[in-house]
Amino acid sequence: MTSAQVTTEGPAAARRHARKLAAGDRKAAFLLLLFTVIAIVWANSPWGATYDAFWDTEVQLSIGELDAHLTLHALVNDGLMAFFFFLVGLEVKREFTIGDLTDRSRAAVPVIAAVAGLVVPAVIFVMFNLGSGEAHAWGVVISTDTAFLLGALAIIGPKYPARLRTFLLTLAVVDDVGALAAIAVFYNNGIELVPLLLVGVLLVALALVRFLPAGRGPAYALLGFGLWLALFAAGVHPTLAGVAVALLIPVYSPRRMDVERVAELARAFRESPNSVYAREATRSLRNSISINERLQTEWTPYISFAVLPLFALANAGVRLDPTTLAQAAVSPLTWGVIAGLVVGKFIGIAGATALVQRFGLGRLAPGLGMPRIAGGAALSGIGFTISLFIIELAIADEAAQDLARVGVLAASVIAFLLGWAVFAVADRVRPPELIGAKLVRPVDVERDHFRGRPDAPLTIVEYGDFECPFCSRATGSIDLVIEHFGDDVRWVFRHLPLEMMHPHAREAAQAAEAAGLQGRFLDLALAMFANQDRLATDDLFAYARDLGLDMDRFAADLRSPSVIRRVEDDVLDAELMDLHSTPTFFVGERRHKGPWDSVTLIRALELERQRLADVGTRPNDGLTQSRSMDGTVPGSPEEVDGRST
């Protein structure tokens, strides 16, 4: 096997994963669109009367003396959609607990943009409808349809969409929180006190379920159903039961003790296969992943490919007869919906993002400039699912409901076309970052791990993998480069774990970051390079213990959201630059082509020094007091003693 074959499997695996995500988004969006079209065709066909007749079919639910009558339409909107909101709640809980929203600096831009994307559309809608009597229906225009949004992004397929997709997902989570709050506060049916007290009792019971030794799943299901009934009786929309249950379900990263327990039981089963070990190993394996993540994985296909298409079929049957279209053409309700979703979302999200950057309240990830944000903001005007849902709650008149639905459908089509146009024009006028030719993210001595003097005039950046043998050899080359240039060069290391061929590379990268939080990044990195065939979890902990690290802190940091994001940032940078192999070097900001032996690297750095002398400039990376690879402050006694180099 050639080195090229070895080193390209990791990025290829990442690209396959990205394509799989995009394919799933496209399928979900296509199915939602298909059922929307079926509903519209059905409602406008010669058999259109059967559409309403079918969804008005009564369903009777009886439990003892409790007797509930629902239509099929209400069963979908009030019952099945509770599962959709349950999934939304799981995602919200995860993002705020261990996801992107745990990092305030990372979350600031999409969170502020999402809030603006809620407020601006509502204001525009109200301006259109001040005299129409429908101004209270502003909730129709505040929410973006996440499934259609991600599906549209996958269909348009801008290059390297990973960071934009993450930005839009974060935005969508905050957007969903706002929409759910609006439903609970502004679109309830009048509050009944006694059932509301029962809701409080059930919420306390749900919060205590996590302490049960067993049977937590059935307990959540039973109490969740009781909460649905109590909310229904209290006058609050019962679908919010799904959100409430989800927010009370714990979420956590896999704990080392749980993973080790799984390994012990699997080993015992392998040595002595029996039903007891099999049952215990299965239970331990399941419990090592939080119930939040298990439910998201298991339920997402059912929500995406069953619940949402059924919802579209039950709610998108707008009669597009000449009379309705003529009324919609001059209706402030219809135009308020269109303007709120298309114009309001675009101005709110793109404008807020620009202002946040302008005033330094947050920063966008590398490669995620305003043209990309503008395209995502345009697509955010696709407000399908929750918009149609709120129409039922906010507007009583059926004719007015149809006018609002026409607005939602028109806005969704316009937003998709506008987003496509923005991406096409932006990529033509200002193409995405030149692929691989230039370092996409300049060196930041506050963030990057480096060896050498922080303000050295020469810089060499390596994207590497602790399990890659070529990276290990390149480390020796770097030693000679630093010996040659002395204080005039700094070496910066960034992560590019090639997980397909190097299954331990990602965890090794996280271990190095965890050690870096205790000032020992380079020490652990060298230990892992010296033992590349022994990088299992136990090995990483052994090396950390040998270095005298605080093991409790190391174990907690290893799988912490901040460490995971830190490695993922480097990986996404590498994807944006289309890096295919490790090690990959950048001399200054330019990608190094050819061998990485010390003589070649020294020659490349000499040419870079000559180039800098010719133009009379030096790299500007916003140098402030910072820490080098072992965590020491440059110029401190520890560095003078030689520890950082």
Side-chain angles (χ1 to χ4, degrees), residues 85-105:
F85 286 115
F86 175 70
L87 195 64
V88 170
L90 290 174
E91 185 177 6
V92 169
K93 177 66 176 288
R94 185 185 187 282
E95 290 302 317
F96 275 97
T97 305
I98 62 173
D100 279 343
L101 296 183
T102 59
D103 185 339
R104 292 181 181 179
S105 62

Side-chain angles (χ1 to χ4, degrees), residues 150-232:
L150 297 181
L153 184 66
I155 291 169
I156 295 172
K159 287 185 177 181
Y160 309 112
R163 280 200 169 109
L164 178 59
R165 189 179 190 276
T166 300
F167 178 92
L168 293 177
L169 268 176
T170 305
L171 185 146
V173 167
V174 181
D175 183 279
D176 287 339
V177 171
L180 295 173
I183 292 172
V185 175
F186 298 103
Y187 299 111
N188 58 65
N189 297 321
I191 304 300
E192 295 290 336
L193 183 59
V194 174
L196 193 62
L197 292 175
L198 179 58
V199 167
V201 172
L202 289 170
L203 289 174
V204 172
L206 281 162
L208 296 175
V209 168
R210 69 177 66 191
F211 300 110
L212 291 177
R216 290 188 291 270
Y220 279 123
L222 183 62
L223 291 172
F225 181 65
L227 183 63
W228 187 92
L229 294 173
L231 285 170
F232 186 86

Side-chain angles (χ1 to χ4, degrees), residues 168-344:
L168 293 177
L169 268 176
T170 305
L171 185 146
V173 167
V174 181
D175 183 279
D176 287 339
V177 171
L180 295 173
I183 292 172
V185 175
F186 298 103
Y187 299 111
N188 58 65
N189 297 321
I191 304 300
E192 295 290 336
L193 183 59
V194 174
L196 193 62
L197 292 175
L198 179 58
V199 167
V201 172
L202 289 170
L203 289 174
V204 172
L206 281 162
L208 296 175
V209 168
R210 69 177 66 191
F211 300 110
L212 291 177
R216 290 188 291 270
Y220 279 123
L222 183 62
L223 291 172
F225 181 65
L227 183 63
W228 187 92
L229 294 173
L231 285 170
F232 186 86
V236 180
H237 204 277
T239 52
L240 294 179
V243 181
V245 174
L247 293 178
L248 292 170
I249 289 177
V251 59
Y252 49 81
S253 298
R255 294 184 285 258
R256 181 171 181 252
M257 63 181 68
D258 294 332
V259 175
E260 290 178 343
R261 174 65 175 162
V262 172
E264 291 171 1
L265 288 169
R267 188 182 306 114
F269 178 78
R270 185 174 64 248
E271 295 171 355
S272 178
N274 61 72
S275 60
V276 174
Y277 285 160
R279 184 175 62 253
E280 289 299 318
T282 301
R283 181 186 298 115
S284 182
L285 183 64
R286 184 178 63 252
N287 291 340
S288 65
I289 304 296
S290 72
I291 187 172
N292 177 292
E293 295 193 69
R294 295 203 308 271
L295 288 171
Q296 282 197 68
T297 301
E298 293 167 3
W299 283 44
T300 295
Y302 298 105
I303 303 301
S304 298
F305 299 116
V307 172
L308 290 181
L310 274 175
F311 174 82
L313 186 64
N315 289 272
V318 183
R319 285 176 176 76
L320 301 178
D321 55 81
T323 302
T324 301
L325 293 177
Q327 291 175 344
V330 296
S331 169
L333 177 57
T334 302
W335 284 107
V337 171
I338 294 173
L341 285 170
V342 177
V343 180

Side-chain angles (χ1 to χ4, degrees), residues 394-623:
I395 302 174
D397 182 69
E398 291 187 4
Q401 288 180 357
D402 279 344
L403 295 178
R405 291 189 185 105
V406 170
V408 170
L409 296 176
S412 298
V413 173
I414 294 170
F416 175 77
L417 295 176
L418 178 62
W420 198 329
V422 170
F423 281 122
V425 172
D427 285 353
R428 184 178 295 273
V429 173
R430 184 183 176 187
E433 195 72 40
L434 294 175
I435 299 175
K438 184 180 178 182
L439 192 66
V440 70
R441 173 166 47 85
V443 173
D444 180 354
V445 295
E446 291 283 355
R447 173 195 184 279
D448 279 309
H449 301 290
F450 63 92
R451 180 180 171 192
R453 201 177 85 221
D455 59 346
L458 299 176
T459 298
I460 185 166
V461 179
E462 176 184 353
Y463 279 84
D465 174 327
F466 290 114
E467 206 169 356
C468 168
F470 305 103
C471 297
S472 176
R473 297 171 195 169
T475 303
S477 301
I478 293 299
D479 291 339
L480 295 175
V481 169
I482 293 175
E483 182 180 331
H484 178 85
F485 287 100
D487 287 343
D488 284 344
V489 70
R490 62 183 177 187
W491 168 67
V492 177
F493 185 87
R494 293 176 177 174
H495 304 288
L496 179 52
L498 307 177
E499 296 175 84
M500 182 62 71
M501 294 303 298
H502 303 148
H504 303 104
R506 174 79 67 157
E507 189 174 37
Q510 292 173 205
E513 290 298 328
L517 293 176
Q518 299 186 47
R520 305 299 293 275
F521 179 94
L522 181 58
D523 295 324
L524 187 61
L526 292 176
M528 292 188 293
F529 276 137
N531 298 278
Q532 291 185 307
D533 57 341
R534 296 190 297 277
L535 294 179
T537 302
D538 288 343
D539 298 317
L540 300 179
F541 274 84
Y543 305 145
R545 190 176 297 108
D546 291 342
L547 292 174
L549 299 184
D550 181 331
M551 296 308 296
D552 290 337
R553 181 182 174 188
F554 179 80
D557 289 337
L558 179 64
R559 294 183 177 86
S560 68
S562 60
V563 162
I564 292 171
R565 280 196 304 271
R566 175 67 172 75
V567 174
E568 188 63 19
D569 276 347
D570 285 356
V571 172
L572 289 175
D573 286 342
E575 178 190 330
L576 190 63
M577 295 182 291
D578 202 26
L579 304 188
H580 289 287
S581 61
T582 56
T584 294
F585 288 97
F586 287 81
V587 174
E589 293 187 344
R590 302 184 180 194
R591 184 171 177 177
H592 172 71
K593 301 287 187 180
W596 53 78
D597 60 278
S598 60
V599 173
T600 303
L601 292 177
I602 289 170
R603 186 182 302 118
L605 284 163
E606 291 286 8
L607 290 173
E608 173 68 4
R609 178 152 60 183
Q610 183 60 47
R611 186 187 71 81
L612 293 174
D614 290 342
V615 299
T617 61
R618 287 176 56 176
N620 179 14
D621 47 35
L623 180 65

Side-chain angles (χ1 to χ4, degrees), residues 23-84:
D25 292 340
R26 281 195 297 269
K27 289 175 183 176
F30 173 77
L31 198 60
L32 200 54
L33 179 61
L34 175 63
F35 275 73
T36 300
V37 172
I38 291 174
I40 294 172
V41 171
W42 182 3
N44 291 276
S45 71
W47 306 278
T50 64
Y51 180 83
D52 288 332
F54 175 78
W55 292 111
D56 286 339
T57 302
E58 192 172 272
V59 177
Q60 183 175 350
L61 299 176
S62 298
I63 303 176
E65 296 183 358
L66 179 64
D67 193 11
H69 295 266
L70 296 171
T71 62
L72 281 177
H73 184 267
L75 186 61
V76 171
N77 282 25
D78 297 351
L80 290 182
M81 284 300 286
F83 294 101
F84 165 74

